[in-house]
Amino acid sequence: MELLASQEDMSQDEALRFLRKMEQSDQLGSFEAAYQTVKYLRQKISDSQWGKAREALDLVKEQSARLLKGQRESSVGNMIRRVMKIIKDEHFSSGKEKTDERDTQESLQKLLLADDDEEEYNQPKENLKESVIDSMCELLSELETSAEIVCANSLEHIQNNEVIMTLGNSRLVEQFFKTAVNKKRKFQVIIVESFPNYRGHELAKALTEADIKTTVVSDAAVFAMMSRCNKVIIGTNSVMADGGLKASSGTHTLALAAKHYSVPLIVLAPMYKLTPQYLSSYDQDKFNQTISPHHVLPYNSGEIINRVSVSCPLYDYVPPDLVSTYATNIGGYAPPYIYRLLADLYHPDDYNLKQELNS
Amino acid sequence: MLFEENVRRVLNEKSGPEISEGIAAVRTLLELINSGDATTFSELVTKLRTAVKIMRECTNESISMTSGCELFMRFISNIRDEGRDESFEQCKTLMLERGNKFVKKVDSSRLRIAKLGSQHIKENSKILVHSRSRVVLELLKEASKDKQFKVFVTESRPDGSGRDMAQELKKHKIEVECILDAAIGYVMETIDLVLVGAEGVLASGGIVNKIGTFSIAMAAKAFNRPVYVAAESFKFSNLYPLNQKDLPNKHKYESLTEETIDRKKHPLIDYTPPEYLTLLFTDIGILTPTAVSDELIKLA
Amino acid sequence: MSAPVEGKKVAPKSAAGDVLVEKEPFLAVIIADSYNKSLQPCTLDRSREVILYCTSYPQLIRSHVEKSKWSTLMNIKVIVNEDARSVGDALRDLDDKQLISTDFVLLQGDLVANLDLKSCMEIHKTTRESDKDAILTRVMKDCPPGHRTRSPNTSSLYALNRSTNQILAHQIVLDSKKVKLPTELIREAKELELRYDLLDCHITLCAAMVPSLFTENFDYQTVDDLVHGVLGNQEILGNTMHVHVVEDGYAARVTDFFTYKAVSTDVLEKWAYPFSPDTEWSNENGISLVSFGNKYAVSSKLFSKKCNLGSNVVIGDNTAIKYGASISNSVIGNNCIIGANVSIQNCYVWDNTVIEDDCSLTNTIICEQVRLYKNTQLLATSKDTMAMQNIDFVLGKGVHLGPNVTLDQPVLLTAAAMKDDWGEPFSAYESKGESGRAFNFVQPTEESSDDEEDGDDTSAEEDDSEDDAVIPDTELFYNEVLDTLQRAEKENISADNIILDINSLKHAYNIQINEVNHMVIQAVLQRPLQDISDTATSSQLLTNLKPLLKLCIHVFKNYYRSDKSQHECLLAIKEFVCDQSHDLYTPIIGQVLMFFYQNDILDEDVIVKWYETSLQPGKFKTQVSKLVEWFNEAESDSESD
């Protein structure tokens, strides 16, 4: 794999900057992180010379080792998997005339056919590089338009004179509401302010500017307000492989209250948030992230901080049975069917990236 | 009769305490193809079907054997479809070659499941295990290599196989405690997760396993604890029971023929519906219960 | 990097080695995975140019900077100056080199913070715009008394103008419960706020002219000095200083063991987020949070069953923990082995140490490559609550403590004996067990510390406030030395302490070293003259002089080592005796010189040279010539032998 020397020198610096930016990715947001990752990988792939799929895969693996080191944002890993799937798919489909797609999934069927599972991706194929780069450009535009597509269906989810509850400040939810208002729907929104950063306040400001009647309530008031809501619409950080959610702290409580009152819970989740990892609620430590306890108990409280252990977790796990439906950029899905989307987006060998990288 | 004896002999050879009945049956069938003297396809198929019948009779027919044999027969007919133009000999070679691959894959399934499933066991967790399952044992062995945890095993009447499981676990230096079957409600509040094996995974996404599994799953659901099932993929079966009665009797009771079933005796297995299960660890990946039916549909 | 743009900050800092004052045995700069010891707080993309000023361990610092990821994002210049002894010296040097041309932020290497420096800088700039005389803004953290991170050794009271946050007065309050403030303060200020709850982060946003203030006032050693100086000169120069109190965000400096412990605990409890053990910002090791209660480890592969990890624990890479060990509130480095049934509470164990079975450690810092054999107990029995916050035992690099040793008094240990200035070991050997290898650490005599500095300044001001304009410093110094010698004779003070006193006076009055040399010998000669009556004879003088000379042998040896200084000494003697007409000395000068020669204070060659070049013919020379002849005879004798 040759790299043009001058290009490497120039981009080394940029690469490092990019990687440092990636480390701050929890400030960037999952969309930005995903977008930048794909852009970066696309550039790496187009800059270097390679002919076989295996070489491209190795290149991606190498880059992902750096990108994933200590990475908290799961959308980065998701995008890496997408890219690897693109490479594998292009490898199979390029040059073939067959109409039936080759199933890259493990399945009973495969077992039956006793197919070669030792695919090495080592055969050189024509035009592989071009088709991979084309697919990656498609992926980028998919990312760019994902928000729009999700919001295009807002009219189906929001009816007139409804009271909708949401939590925190998700840009997608904001856009969703604004799209509905633009199409002349009238509804009210109750926003849960969402400790620790009180991001609900920002959303409230944005919505009132769009002339939507808004009420802000504290996290503790969720149960009290739930009985008067018709729907709950929230964003999320990631969608887990079992159909559950990794969302802002407080979402699980919201979901339980919704279940209790049989209020449908709709999650807006573009597909770059879908991750093939399974994390169950009792494994909170690896899955969750804690930040400075300053928001809970200020540092200058004096001697008390010596005696009390203070913790401020950022995320919640919401099990799949509490979610009614996912509104994604490829349609609406019920939680039990999320696993099928996994098969479309990612190759099973890539589910566990860290393991693969270590091997 | 010769054939029958032959079949029994081979089956005996291929069986063992460590080997699942399904795998033993499949290996037997492969051996029969190898050593058999059939000259046409239909002859071969008939012979295999007879062998399957014989195997059913001479052992306690378990669901895994049924599904394993089913899968293998499908496998054979696939090859027949593929190799319609070629001669029988060539077909046979192909069959043997593919058959060996199949068996190899199936053999390694336990290890794959162990690797997949052990990631879900957290440090210092308390796990409830029901009765004896080789796959679960393998999984726990793998997890104990770098984690510490405690296992509660139900003694699992009437045959007390849970005690054997406890012994095995102790041998591998895993902390284990044997509990009464009736005590599962009592311990459920301290348990972090439930891990069971399966004799069969059904088309609905539910499982068939040693009697008592359903009760454990119900208790786990009441306490919101995850229930994980570890099962190899050849156990997938096309049955779709709507309730406990729907399970075929020959699987339920310990007997050899329909006539000798003693209805007053207790069943050995029960059916756990998919809504009580959290995840299945199989060699084709981690599946949600709904994904199982998808897999089976793809097969059809 | 592009040309300087307004708002570009330059942040010089001094390395940790020279400012950590108390009680630390020789240690390396790199600490086990607990926190980010390298460059700085975040908002790194604002601070583009960094000047890294170091005195100790320049090689380590250079290599660290090269390897560090920050070097690609910022322009880091490393400046080494082995002679700098304080922040003041560093700034003087920088001023000399003309490296600073804009406002800058001054930080020190032992700072841990997550502040947004950009907003602090904005505030500083705003202050400067509204008040043209503002020269610096100190960043303080709101931190009430009794707070864990307030070291008991530094507590200050600030009097501030509430609306502008200008500093009106500053006092360091140690133990007393009373503070004196000038009444003009209350009379003149419209809104006065007295704050005792501020913790100095030692982050100072300075105007570009601040280094020149340090150059002008040679005795400013720290920013505190600068603050005092400016406050004192407020009417004359009119410079003002401000304070910026930070409430959100974390900043603290590790200045002594107390704060080391407090800051470590803060980082473990995530107060300094995003600088916590499990984020990518601060560790290269892949530490992750193992479980609730702030337990971090790289991987728990090597932890045996039944080991009990309490809360607030970090375990480094490749560290094994054996059966039954229990660890809480501690940080363990990489590649360590913790034996069975070991109990570790509130300790900080660095890399590559071995702690064998059955040991028990509390409130200890253990440096690298230390070995504690079986059943070593380190448990201080003092029950004072403040002391519980403090570190009781410090084991330097390479210490071994033998089996079955119990230490119950706070102590500092090092692996090799301490050597004094002449290379002779002087600290007590404490063998500590059969396989032990440990020596007591004694604080080497510091020439001056901040507190003494302040003490001298204020006392000098008090005593001589009226005479200040009249009497030059050298006179004062000389008088002080005489007083010192007098006290020394009366109270039989050791030579080391005399040296200490003289050195501190040197700093207080800002005397050059050659002048000091000059004056010391003169003071010694003067001293007996003070006591004798007017009618005394030379031999009486000699009798009085001799004990003083004997007392001061080491003092002389300290000051008159090189040939040049010895020559100075002789010149001074000559000046004293001849030019200042202390004729009583003339007859006995030969014996005095002989005394010096015999005690190896003055070299024969130097004396001869001095005799030949610097002396005018006269009585004095005649006296000396006797000595010189004696030298020559001795030489010829030895030649003939």
Side-chain angles (χ1 to χ4, degrees), chain B residues 215-227:
Chain B
S215 319
I216 292 181
M218 276 195 281
K221 184 146 182 133
F223 280 84
N224 243 328
R225 305 283 189 256
V227 175

Side-chain angles (χ1 to χ4, degrees), chain A residues 112 278 282-283 336 339-340 352, chain B residues 75 120 122 193 286 291 294:
Chain A
L112 219 49
Y278 289 87
Y282 75 96
D283 198 4
Y339 78 91
R340 236 194 256 180
N352 202 340
Chain B
F75 176 67
H120 284 251
K122 203 178 89 136
L193 66 122
I286 302 183
D294 225 31

Side-chain angles (χ1 to χ4, degrees), chain C residues 194-296:
Chain C
L194 294 177
R195 296 203 65 163
Y196 187 56
D197 63 343
L198 296 178
L199 176 69
D200 191 0
C201 309
H202 291 263
I203 300 176
T204 319
L205 298 146
C206 305
M209 39 103 68
V210 166
S212 58
L213 285 177
F214 274 86
T215 316
E216 282 167 31
N217 296 290
F218 217 88
D219 56 350
Y220 288 170
Q221 300 293 2
T222 65
V223 178
D224 272 341
D225 291 341
L226 177 66
V227 170
H228 280 157
V230 170
L231 283 174
N233 288 334
Q234 197 139 16
E235 281 125 34
I236 307 173
L237 295 174
N239 288 326
T240 59
M241 295 167 295
H242 297 259
V243 150
H244 170 56
V245 179
V246 159
E247 270 158 47
D248 280 342
Y250 179 83
R253 242 191 88 194
V254 178
T255 48
D256 51 21
F257 289 135
F258 190 89
T259 40
Y260 180 101
K261 186 166 166 179
V263 173
S264 287
T265 320
D266 285 343
V267 170
L268 281 182
E269 291 184 350
K270 295 198 145 179
W271 293 101
Y273 186 83
F275 287 114
S276 57
D278 58 349
T279 58
E280 184 53 24
W281 282 87
S282 54
N283 85 88
E284 310 285 328
N285 279 3
I287 288 188
S288 62
L289 187 61
V290 168
S291 77
F292 189 70
N294 292 326
K295 302 176 214 205
Y296 305 89

Side-chain angles (χ1 to χ4, degrees), chain C residues 120-133:
Chain C
C120 297
M121 200 60 177
E122 298 297 315
I123 292 180
H124 175 73
K125 287 231 163 358
T126 324
T127 318
R128 288 209 74 195
E129 274 162 37
S130 55
D131 179 357
K132 292 284 171 258
D133 292 323

Side-chain angles (χ1 to χ4, degrees), chain C residues 167-182:
Chain C
I167 301 179
L168 298 171
H170 171 221
Q171 298 232 14
I172 295 194
V173 177
L174 285 179
D175 280 330
S176 68
K177 295 202 195 247
K178 293 191 194 164
V179 159
K180 276 195 192 155
L181 291 172

Side-chain angles (χ1 to χ4, degrees), chain C residues 243-453:
Chain C
V243 150
H244 170 56
V245 179
V246 159
E247 270 158 47
D248 280 342
Y250 179 83
R253 242 191 88 194
V254 178
T255 48
D256 51 21
F257 289 135
F258 190 89
T259 40
Y260 180 101
K261 186 166 166 179
V263 173
S264 287
T265 320
D266 285 343
V267 170
L268 281 182
E269 291 184 350
K270 295 198 145 179
W271 293 101
Y273 186 83
F275 287 114
S276 57
D278 58 349
T279 58
E280 184 53 24
W281 282 87
S282 54
N283 85 88
E284 310 285 328
N285 279 3
I287 288 188
S288 62
L289 187 61
V290 168
S291 77
F292 189 70
N294 292 326
K295 302 176 214 205
Y296 305 89
V298 177
S299 86
S300 40
K301 272 191 303 192
L302 296 172
F303 297 179
S304 87
K305 304 188 198 283
K306 294 262 195 287
C307 73
N308 182 10
L309 293 184
S311 59
N312 290 345
V313 168
V314 177
I315 314 278
D317 202 4
N318 209 22
T319 293
I321 303 189
K322 306 266 189 279
Y323 191 88
S326 87
I327 304 180
S328 71
N329 290 322
S330 302
V331 175
I332 315 271
N334 297 329
N335 301 317
C336 295
I337 300 180
I338 312 288
N341 298 319
V342 168
S343 153
I344 298 183
Q345 320 287 334
N346 298 322
C347 295
Y348 301 90
V349 178
W350 298 12
D351 297 345
N352 299 317
T353 57
V354 177
I355 299 181
E356 293 191 2
D357 303 345
D358 300 317
C359 291
S360 154
L361 308 171
T362 319
N363 293 334
T364 310
I365 294 182
I366 297 188
C367 301
E368 291 160 340
Q369 291 164 17
V370 165
R371 202 184 173 96
L372 293 182
Y373 293 92
K374 289 193 171 42
N375 201 21
T376 307
Q377 316 281 332
L378 297 177
L379 178 62
T381 49
S382 146
K383 293 283 186 264
D384 183 9
T385 44
M386 259 332 221
M388 301 245 275
Q389 307 264 30
N390 204 347
I391 298 287
D392 292 325
F393 302 100
V394 178
L395 273 56
K397 183 169 170 181
V399 166
H400 290 202
L401 285 187
N404 301 315
V405 166
T406 304
L407 296 178
D408 56 4
Q409 293 300 325
V411 71
L412 311 164
L413 297 174
T414 63
M418 297 280 306
K419 299 207 162 85
D420 66 7
D421 291 333
W422 290 279
E424 291 160 22
F426 68 84
S427 64
Y429 178 77
E430 293 204 23
S431 92
K432 295 305 171 207
E434 301 168 350
S435 328
R437 177 176 88 199
F439 297 84
N440 264 343
F441 174 84
V442 174
Q443 182 71 353
T445 52
E446 277 276 330
E447 301 208 338
S448 64
S449 67
D450 284 357
D451 297 333
E452 244 187 286
E453 183 77 39

Side-chain angles (χ1 to χ4, degrees), chain B:
Chain B
M1 278 323 278
L2 196 61
F3 184 64
E4 196 178 314
E5 274 167 26
N6 203 15
V7 169
R8 278 185 220 264
R9 183 182 51 86
V10 177
L11 185 58
N12 253 338
E13 259 173 53
K14 300 292 179 189
S15 303
E18 282 311 308
I19 304 179
S20 166
E21 293 94 3
I23 298 187
V26 166
R27 282 210 186 132
T28 313
L29 292 178
L30 197 60
E31 181 64 35
L32 286 173
I33 297 181
N34 200 5
S35 59
D37 51 1
T39 46
T40 68
F41 229 97
S42 350
E43 204 184 322
L44 182 67
V45 169
T46 330
K47 272 230 165 87
L48 290 178
R49 285 204 204 280
T50 331
V52 171
K53 206 155 148 228
I54 295 170
M55 282 195 292
R56 276 190 185 148
E57 286 166 12
C58 67
T59 65
N60 216 356
E61 182 182 352
S62 59
I63 294 193
S64 66
M65 179 185 278
T66 319
S67 49
C69 292
E70 268 284 332
L71 208 60
F72 193 75
M73 293 310 295
R74 273 257 176 103
F75 176 67
I76 299 291
S77 28
N78 262 351
I79 296 183
R80 172 172 61 182
D81 291 338
E82 254 184 63
R84 218 173 272 273
D85 305 327
E86 296 166 33
S87 77
F88 181 66
E89 281 307 315
Q90 281 170 311
C91 262
K92 193 169 162 188
T93 339
L94 189 61
M95 251 190 266
L96 284 173
E97 188 192 313
R98 291 241 185 115
N100 279 321
K101 269 201 201 152
F102 179 85
V103 169
K104 226 185 4 188
K105 255 201 204 172
V106 154
D107 273 345
S108 66
S109 52
R110 255 189 229 163
L111 280 166
R112 269 188 281 170
I113 294 174
K115 282 215 157 50
L116 269 182
S118 60
Q119 293 160 31
H120 284 251
I121 295 183
K122 203 178 89 136
E123 179 81 31
N124 288 328
S125 47
K126 299 200 179 43
I127 307 174
L128 177 61
V129 170
H130 182 56
S131 183
R132 185 166 181 272
S133 161
R134 287 165 289 226
V135 186
V136 171
L137 183 60
E138 197 64 43
L139 207 163
L140 291 175
K141 265 161 61 180
E142 180 69 28
S144 73
K145 283 187 191 159
D146 58 350
K147 285 183 251 221
Q148 298 175 35
F149 46 85
K150 180 162 179 184
V151 179
F152 293 87
V153 187
T154 54
E155 55 168 11
S156 178
R157 288 207 59 202
D159 57 356
S161 46
R163 301 234 187 116
D164 298 333
M165 180 75 161
Q167 291 295 346
E168 299 262 341
L169 287 172
K170 274 208 191 99
K171 260 193 243 166
H172 288 100
K173 302 224 176 42
I174 298 174
E175 201 186 331
V176 69
E177 195 179 310
C178 205
I179 60 172
L180 289 176
D181 296 343
I184 49 168
Y186 178 78
V187 298
M188 193 52 75
E189 61 190 28
T190 54
I191 295 290
D192 292 318
L193 66 122
V194 176
L195 183 59
V196 295
E199 297 204 15
V201 179
L202 308 183
S204 58
I207 58 166
V208 168
N209 197 24
K210 184 83 187 289
I211 189 98
T213 312
F214 186 27
S215 319
I216 292 181
M218 276 195 281
K221 184 146 182 133
F223 280 84
N224 243 328
R225 305 283 189 256
V227 175
Y228 296 131
V229 177
E232 301 100 312
S233 57
F234 65 81
K235 291 179 178 165
F236 282 28
S237 153
N238 262 318
L239 292 171
Y240 204 118
L242 296 174
N243 52 22
Q244 302 296 332
K245 264 222 223 151
D246 274 352
L247 281 181
N249 279 341
K250 57 186 175 182
H251 297 138
K252 271 196 220 169
Y253 298 102
E254 199 178 273
S255 82
L256 296 180
T257 63
E258 189 70 34
E259 290 76 29
T260 56
I261 289 176
D262 180 1
R263 280 187 217 280
K264 297 207 189 103
K265 267 200 155 171
H266 298 286
L268 289 173
I269 54 172
D270 62 20
Y271 164 65
T272 309
E275 49 264 25
Y276 294 92
L277 304 175
T278 315
L279 287 178
L280 288 104
F281 301 144
T282 71
D283 49 316
I284 50 178
I286 302 183
L287 302 173
T288 48
T290 36
V292 174
S293 46
D294 225 31
E295 286 294 324
L296 284 164
I297 291 175
K298 271 196 246 171
L299 209 54

